[in-house]
Amino acid sequence: MMLLVAGGLALWLIAVLFVLSICRVAARADENDAGRRLLRVGRRGATVGLVAAAATFPGAPGDADARRAQCQNRNVEFEAAPAEARAALLCELNRVRARRELPRLDADERLAKAARRHAADMVDRHYFSHYSPAGSDVADRARRTGYAKPSCSWRLGEVLAWGVAERSTAAATVRAWMHSPGHRQILISAKYADLGVGMVAGTPQPELPHGLTAAAVLGRRHCST
């Protein structure tokens, strides 16, 4: 069957198909990581993580959330106002917990540093995974920032996302995570007390340099000294 399209429309269709192919790649990466869900239990701690591509989840127009109190700047695209978008993401994560009468997560700069470094590394080296190309994971990153100390017992959870345009907002990122049962389980778990958020401009896909890559690391630790 032949399809004749005017020049301008043909270019538009090609662009749409290209973006959709990128989304499919991200979706497959998400499925692969979720399939081998990271669960590493050691003498001093445990980690669990899942990844989500925010660009692959549709919005939910008419969602009941929209009729409740909203976090300020929740729909601001990250590149337009990075500080405001980061604050909105912290607010959104605690808002979904408050709706379930769960304790608020305390912002922890050590977890934020681990999250920020990993998000930046994924953009710089064009990969999307809990594991770096060298094989380090969230526990290794938390150790390097001093959160997962050898003298402490600890638990860590990590979720990742990337998105472009209107899906590079705090609202879209949290909505993507909450639409995935595995990610939602981490975010609304009562097992965590601390939270670090890392958000950087760009995506793991070099063809899509404008957007957001985000990591959220949840933790709880008990130190004897």
Side-chain angles (χ1 to χ4, degrees):
M1 179 173 59
M2 297 179 62
L3 177 63
L4 300 179
V5 185
L9 181 57
L11 291 176
W12 180 84
L13 287 172
I14 291 171
V16 170
L17 290 173
F18 173 76
V19 172
L20 288 176
S21 69
I22 293 297
C23 290
R24 292 192 190 99
V25 170
R28 284 197 294 271
D30 181 41
E31 290 169 1
N32 290 339
D33 270 332
R36 64 170 189 271
R37 177 170 175 165
L38 170 65
L39 178 58
R40 192 176 77 184
V41 180
R43 186 172 64 88
R44 301 303 301 177
T47 64
V48 58
L50 290 168
V51 296
T56 66
F57 291 90
D63 189 349
D65 287 352
R67 296 190 291 272
R68 293 186 171 92
Q70 304 295 321
C71 293
Q72 188 175 9
N73 299 314
R74 67 192 300 268
N75 292 312
V76 171
E77 293 181 16
F78 177 76
E79 288 188 311
E84 289 80 357
R86 181 180 182 276
L89 184 58
L90 288 167
C91 175
E92 285 286 296
L93 290 173
N94 272 312
R95 188 173 72 92
V96 298
R97 292 175 64 86
R99 287 175 50 201
R100 293 162 175 82
E101 299 183 350
L102 291 166
R104 181 181 181 85
L105 297 171
D106 295 326
D108 188 284
E109 182 53 37
R110 292 159 298 190
L111 293 181
K113 184 182 293 186
R116 190 165 56 245
R117 287 175 176 175
H118 188 49
D121 191 51
M122 288 190 291
V123 172
D124 291 343
R125 295 201 278 177
H126 311 308
Y127 70 96
F128 185 57
S129 173
H130 292 293
Y131 299 92
S132 75
S136 63
D137 61 21
V138 62
D140 299 313
R141 294 185 284 275
R143 287 191 188 97
R144 286 193 287 268
T145 64
Y147 185 88
K149 299 170 63 174
S151 59
C152 304
S153 60
W154 46 265
R155 175 181 293 272
L156 295 167
E158 180 181 72
V159 291
L160 309 174
W162 67 267
V164 298
E166 70 274 9
R167 299 189 181 182
S168 67
T169 68
T173 300
V174 174
R175 184 163 54 237
W177 285 331
M178 293 299 289
H179 274 71
S180 167
H183 304 85
R184 183 171 62 248
Q185 182 179 355
I186 293 174
L187 296 178
I188 64 173
S189 172
K191 297 177 180 178
Y192 301 110
D194 305 317
L195 170 66
V197 167
M199 303 172 75
V200 299
T203 79
Q205 301 291 336
E207 300 87 353
L208 297 172
H210 299 290
L212 159 73
T213 298
V217 181
L218 288 73
R220 180 188 291 274
R221 71 175 192 166
H222 174 74
C223 300
S224 55
T225 57

